[in-house]
Amino acid sequence: MDQQQRTEYWRRNLRLMAVLLVVWALVSFGAGIFFTEWLNQVSIFGVPLGFWFAQQGSIITFLALIAIYVWRMDRLDREYGADDYEEGVRHS
Amino acid sequence: MSEIQLWTLIFVALSFGLYIYIAYRSRVSDTAGFYVAGGGIPAPANGAAIAADWMSAASFISMAGLIALAYNGYSGSAYLMGWTGGYVLLAMLLAPYLRKFGKYTIPDFVGDRYNETARLIAVICAIVVSFTYVIGQMAGVGVVFSRFLEVDPTIGVIIGMAIVFFYAVLGGMKGITWTQVAQYSVLIVAYLIPAVAISTRLTGIPVPQIGFGQIMDELEGLQTDLGFGSYTSALTGTDQLNMFLLTASLMFGTAGLPHVIIRFYTAASVRAARYSALWALFFIALLYTTAPTVAAFAKYNILTDLRGTPTEELPSWFSTWANVGLITGPDGAPLRDLNGDGTYNFTGAASDVTNEVMINNDIVVLASPEIGGLPAPIVGLVAAGGLAAALSTASGLLLVISSAISNDVYHKRINPKAEEKQQLLVARITMAVAIVIAGYFGINPPGFAGEVVALAFGLGCASFFPTLVLGIFWKKCTAAGAAAGMAVGIGVTLFYMIWTIEIWGNNEGIFDIAATGFGAVGMVINLLVTIIVSQFTAKPSELVQELVEEIRYPGQTALVAAHAAGELKLDHDDPEEGDKGPGRHRPG
């Protein structure tokens, strides 16, 4: 990687992180705490929505966020041809 | 010996035998094996080990009870969101970069990135945080033994110590890792089986996460009838602030606790470190999405069992736990029918004068098979799961203590020329000593244990998290800035906690912020101090800046490789040295 590619790689990495962390904050602090009462007006499968986000939805979202992160980072690494040195590693 | 005791004994003996066998098979003979299991653990196994490391006696035994019994069902969500949300931060902000940086411990990173003063502060933080936690785990081991096998808690702790001693001293991180994989399997099976069984019994749906919606309306009705607040409603006003701060403290604390962070050094590669975080949260989520359902089912069962039931017709689980003093009257005294209506009125709140029953948070998981009417082998399995949760966390923490002392104090400060064999011996001796000290405090727990656990999270949150994140993402973050930030962050947090603790007059604190949530405030203070001090102090050497830059990109470069191999001289305390040119220390 030359310097320009590196800058590009890092910027795309930061952008991905920023988007995912905004979702992280919206789901946990937003849906799980500050907007819980409002969301509770709706129920899914018998559970008030805000309460569901606080107890289950946030955890499921966190898992999805990390999954998206590792998937996108794998793709980014491949795009910049930088995944070869870890070929032999079992990762999943 | 009762049937429950017999099954408990069988499951405990079987699981302990398994741990010892695994430890014997994975014994180590070098420091890399002892500290980071050789750095070659595949991501799924590493994830399971992180999950076992992370889920302690508190997650396994106490959390569901905390959700069900303390305040209303919603309030406990802070633990659910806080203890899982931190993994998003770990996966994106710390894990890949720390793995790339290499080396063994958190103080290692702090020492190499900043300077020796910062390393020393980090060593102290790591040891304080870890000892705090490990004492709680050892006490938990004693409790499980005494309740289920009716042996003295002291003997329980000694048995636990002996087991940990065997696999931690012999196998170091490698032994601990593979043992934790087994411990995770035991604890998750032990947690899920009763939850699935109870969900099927109550709702006909074998997936508790879906089943618990079926009883929600009825539970809400029961709660309101009996004078509890609504189970699902959120808090309002200042309590929302504390809910936010507690959740934030637990999240950033999770991402700042050394026994979790150190686990990313054991991953096979940078990519494996990212996948480890994913696997870890997946394994943790299995238990953490089940816990609130266990809480709701238990609350439902307890309320229906107690409501209007004459005192002499109460179910057997009630008298079992009343006999060991975990179900009591409102003031901790034995149960009494205060208003003489022939029933025990359970209305939850201790402040409520009509309440006649107090149920200890810790019994919800341990007693849920009995409450749900499940057979004796499942009760025994739950006991083995509780022990697995406590022992796995204890061993991870003991390794942090041992490596901080043997690597960062002995090898880096006292005797840098120590040979591999000598270092390993010191590591094993410190491990043994740490186990004995932890065991002593497990048998004689300090009375302020509750506050100390909060302190551990506050410390992790207010000290390590900002220092590590800035160390990675801000090249110009200086050693003086980081050291000042850590010291002030911890100092202020510590002061606030001591200031608001009951024994010093129970001060209300500022804006009614609870001590448990203050870590988040300490973290912000740490950030501000680090940034401000960094503006006015000597910038890190060119070499350090270059190294920080290098760990951002994929692929192995000569500089990172040389650092990981310990061939790089970083010269922190002499900034002149670094400025003479980055090429000077470059390996050939």
Side-chain angles (χ1 to χ4, degrees):
Chain A
M1 272 207 239
D2 58 29
Q3 197 50 48
Q4 198 207 331
Q5 281 180 311
R6 286 183 157 200
T7 317
E8 224 175 84
Y9 176 91
W10 186 240
R11 210 176 19 227
R12 290 177 65 180
N13 179 5
L14 290 182
R15 204 182 317 138
L16 173 65
M17 267 170 23
V19 171
L20 295 178
L21 286 178
V22 166
V23 177
W24 167 82
L26 282 178
V27 169
S28 51
F29 300 128
I33 296 177
F34 292 112
F35 308 122
T36 308
E37 207 58 73
W38 183 73
L39 289 170
N40 271 352
Q41 297 167 18
V42 184
S43 287
I44 50 158
F45 295 113
V47 187
L49 191 59
F51 178 77
W52 181 81
F53 262 111
Q55 300 220 318
Q56 314 253 295
S58 54
I59 301 176
I60 295 166
T61 311
F62 297 153
L63 197 58
L65 291 176
I66 301 183
I68 293 169
Y69 174 74
V70 295
W71 167 58
R72 297 291 300 206
M73 285 308 283
D74 268 4
R75 223 176 65 172
L76 196 61
D77 281 2
R78 246 197 329 273
E79 259 179 61
Y80 287 85
D83 57 338
D84 48 330
Y85 86 106
E86 284 171 356
E87 277 284 88
V89 168
R90 277 193 293 155
H91 57 82
S92 52
Chain B
M1 186 179 272
S2 72
E3 202 189 348
I4 286 179
Q5 275 177 292
L6 179 71
W7 280 106
T8 306
L9 195 64
I10 291 170
F11 278 112
V12 170
L14 278 178
S15 58
F16 279 21
L18 177 69
Y19 308 152
I20 288 178
Y21 170 75
I22 291 171
Y24 178 74
R25 291 293 301 270
S26 51
R27 57 201 184 280
V28 293
S29 56
D30 60 358
T31 48
F34 195 90
Y35 294 141
V36 294
I41 303 292
N46 207 32
I50 295 170
D53 223 343
W54 178 241
M55 292 190 287
S56 65
S59 295
F60 190 96
I61 298 173
S62 310
M63 198 171 60
L66 214 57
I67 296 167
L69 300 174
Y71 314 108
N72 68 353
Y74 167 80
S75 306
S77 308
Y79 299 96
L80 295 167
M81 291 189 285
W83 282 341
T84 52
Y87 280 86
V88 178
L89 301 169
L90 273 172
M92 294 178 199
L93 301 176
L94 297 177
Y97 308 104
L98 289 176
R99 178 63 189 87
K100 181 98 189 231
F101 201 80
K103 296 296 182 71
Y104 299 138
T105 67
I106 302 310
D108 248 346
F109 175 85
V110 174
D112 288 1
R113 169 64 180 84
Y114 301 111
N115 64 9
E116 294 306 314
T117 315
R119 183 198 297 271
L120 209 64
I121 297 176
V123 167
I124 295 167
C125 294
I127 292 175
V128 171
V129 171
S130 304
F131 257 124
T132 311
Y133 250 136
V134 85
I135 291 165
Q137 303 308 318
M138 283 300 183
V141 171
V143 167
V144 175
F145 266 103
S146 66
R147 279 184 215 165
F148 285 93
L149 293 173
E150 284 170 27
V151 297
D152 195 68
T154 308
I155 295 170
V157 172
I158 291 171
I159 296 171
M161 276 167 65
I163 297 288
V164 174
F165 185 89
F166 186 83
Y167 65 73
V169 172
L170 191 75
M173 189 55 131
K174 200 170 168 211
I176 286 172
T177 302
W178 293 110
T179 310
Q180 281 175 339
V181 173
Q183 283 164 333
Y184 174 77
S185 318
V186 171
L187 80 85
I188 199 66
V189 168
Y191 206 87
L192 291 183
I193 286 181
V196 168
I198 292 170
S199 179
T200 314
R201 257 183 122 102
L202 281 182
T203 68
I205 300 168
V207 183
Q209 284 83 345
I210 297 171
F212 97 133
Q214 307 288 311
I215 57 145
M216 208 40 88
D217 272 347
E218 255 179 289
L219 176 57
E220 203 77 276
L222 276 171
Q223 288 248 131
T224 323
D225 285 358
L226 290 167
F228 292 87
S230 159
Y231 191 79
T232 55
S233 76
L235 303 155
T236 48
T238 50
D239 280 326
Q240 207 161 40
L241 174 72
N242 269 317
M243 180 83 186
F244 165 70
L245 286 176
L246 177 59
T247 307
S249 294
L250 298 176
M251 279 178 175
F252 293 106
T254 296
L257 282 180
H259 70 295
V260 179
I261 302 176
I262 201 174
R263 272 264 155 232
F264 293 106
Y265 289 111
T266 63
S269 66
V270 174
R271 199 161 167 234
R274 293 200 291 253
Y275 275 88
S276 293
L278 178 62
W279 280 108
L281 188 60
F282 170 74
F283 289 133
I284 292 168
L286 284 181
L287 192 145
Y288 272 59
T289 53
T290 310
T293 72
V294 170
F297 290 135
K299 190 70 171 279
Y300 177 84
N301 275 329
I302 290 171
L303 293 181
T304 39
D305 276 6
L306 291 190
R307 189 189 194 188
T309 311
T311 48
E312 62 272 13
E313 285 170 30
L314 285 166
S316 66
W317 64 265
F318 193 83
S319 49
T320 311
W321 294 93
N323 288 343
V324 289
L326 291 163
I327 298 177
T328 61
D331 43 6
L335 283 162
R336 267 179 309 141
D337 182 9
L338 294 171
N339 62 4
D341 64 355
T343 62
Y344 292 127
N345 297 322
F346 178 50
T347 60
S351 54
D352 188 342
V353 284
T354 59
N355 183 39
E356 294 171 349
V357 183
M358 285 291 280
I359 298 177
N360 187 303
N361 292 341
D362 289 358
I363 76 163
V364 166
V365 170
L366 297 176
S368 73
E370 272 174 281
I371 296 173
L374 302 176
I378 293 180
V379 182
L381 185 64
V382 170
L387 285 173
L391 290 178
S392 59
T393 305
S395 54
L397 292 163
L398 287 162
L399 194 101
V400 170
I401 297 167
S402 158
S403 58
I405 293 173
S406 57
N407 178 58
D408 294 294
V409 177
Y410 173 74
H411 181 218
K412 297 282 160 63
R413 308 287 305 165
I414 298 173
N415 185 5
K417 293 193 177 67
E419 280 175 24
E420 185 88 342
K421 234 177 147 179
Q422 216 170 345
Q423 290 179 47
L424 202 58
L425 182 68
V426 174
R428 290 198 154 116
I429 292 170
T430 47
M431 175 69 88
V433 173
I435 291 172
V436 173
I437 297 173
Y440 173 81
F441 283 112
I443 294 166
N444 309 291
F448 51 95
E451 273 83 11
V452 179
V453 169
L455 205 72
F457 266 96
L459 275 175
C461 180
S463 63
F464 286 129
F465 184 74
T467 307
L468 295 176
V469 168
L470 288 177
I472 292 163
F473 289 90
W474 190 30
K475 275 188 285 183
K476 295 203 160 42
C477 181
T478 71
M486 268 199 288
V488 174
I490 285 172
V492 171
T493 309
L494 212 79
F495 173 79
Y496 191 86
M497 285 169 170
I498 293 170
W499 186 49
T500 50
I501 268 174
E502 284 185 25
I503 41 177
W504 277 286
N506 197 9
N507 203 301
E508 288 297 311
I510 308 163
F511 300 126
D512 286 332
I513 294 172
T516 41
F518 194 79
V521 180
M523 184 188 72
V524 174
I525 294 172
N526 178 341
L527 269 173
L528 292 176
V529 169
T530 309
I531 292 169
I532 292 166
V533 173
S534 289
Q535 305 297 333
F536 302 105
T537 45
K539 295 285 169 271
S541 71
E542 291 282 332
L543 187 66
V544 170
Q545 292 196 36
E546 207 177 323
L547 188 64
V548 173
E549 169 104 30
E550 289 286 317
I551 60 171
R552 296 175 174 180
Y553 313 116
Q556 191 79 309
T557 57
L559 190 65
V560 173
H563 172 258
E567 289 157 5
L568 216 56
K569 197 172 174 321
L570 289 164
D571 296 322
H572 294 290
D573 298 323
D574 183 10
E576 287 295 306
E577 186 81 4
D579 291 339
K580 278 178 192 162
R584 226 176 74 99
H585 301 292
R586 276 273 181 87

